[in-house]
């Protein structure tokens, strides 16, 4: 495992001025997945963008974690629909080109 790609939760607590319990609740809601390394929880650096998006929704929009969970599910569904739309548009273009 590449240790440099893992960020200890203690560092995140200091960086974002949050209690450890906040991050634990994110894990309970399934919003963020943590890795246990050397006996403590860490966040993979690839999940940092997702975690910051969650924090912005929570802090700037004053949404509780239950609401954040709903918003994140809606955003994920929106992204899936956008990808499906792109696939359909591409198929339509290929069909029109074949005519």
């Amino acid at each position: 495992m590449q240790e440099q790609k893992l960020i200890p939760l203690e560092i995140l607590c200091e960086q974002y001025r949050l209690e450890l319990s906040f991050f634990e609740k994110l894990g309970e809601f399934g919003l963020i997945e943590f890795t246990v390394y050397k006996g403590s929880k860490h966040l993979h650096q690839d999940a940092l963008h997702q975690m910051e998006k969650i924090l912005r929704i929570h802090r700037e929009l004053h949404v509780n974690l239950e609401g954040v969970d709903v918003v994140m599910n809606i955003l994920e569904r929106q992204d899936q629909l956008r990808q499906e739309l792109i696939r359909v548009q591409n198929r339509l273009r290929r069909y029109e080109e074949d005519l």
Side-chain angles (χ1 to χ4, degrees):
M1 178 169 304
Q2 294 179 336
E3 186 175 346
Q4 68 270 20
K5 292 193 175 194
L6 297 176
I7 305 164
L9 282 190
E10 293 78 19
I11 300 295
L12 292 173
C13 289
E14 291 173 23
Q15 181 80 22
Y16 295 101
R17 297 182 188 137
L18 292 166
E19 297 291 324
L20 185 60
S21 61
F22 178 81
F23 290 102
E24 290 171 347
K25 286 180 184 178
L26 290 179
E28 290 172 13
F29 276 100
L31 293 168
I32 295 291
E33 188 175 315
F34 299 106
T35 302
V36 177
Y37 181 71
K38 292 187 179 181
S40 62
K41 291 182 180 178
H42 293 70
L43 180 70
H44 195 277
Q45 75 179 28
D46 292 344
L48 197 56
H49 176 72
Q50 178 82 352
M51 196 261 322
E52 288 181 344
K53 183 188 290 187
I54 291 167
L55 283 177
R56 282 192 307 276
I57 293 168
H58 176 68
R59 285 181 168 169
E60 295 174 14
L61 301 177
H62 306 287
V63 177
N64 63 19
L65 291 182
E66 291 85 359
V68 170
D69 187 33
V70 171
V71 170
M72 295 304 291
N73 286 328
I74 290 170
L75 291 173
E76 182 179 332
R77 182 68 180 136
Q78 178 188 19
D79 188 49
Q80 291 170 351
L81 289 170
R82 184 179 292 119
Q83 291 174 14
E84 178 65 21
L85 177 61
I86 290 169
R87 284 192 292 273
V88 169
Q89 287 173 332
N90 287 337
R91 279 190 299 214
L92 183 58
R93 279 190 200 107
R94 285 193 301 269
Y95 175 77
E96 289 174 344
E97 289 172 358
D98 289 343
L99 290 179

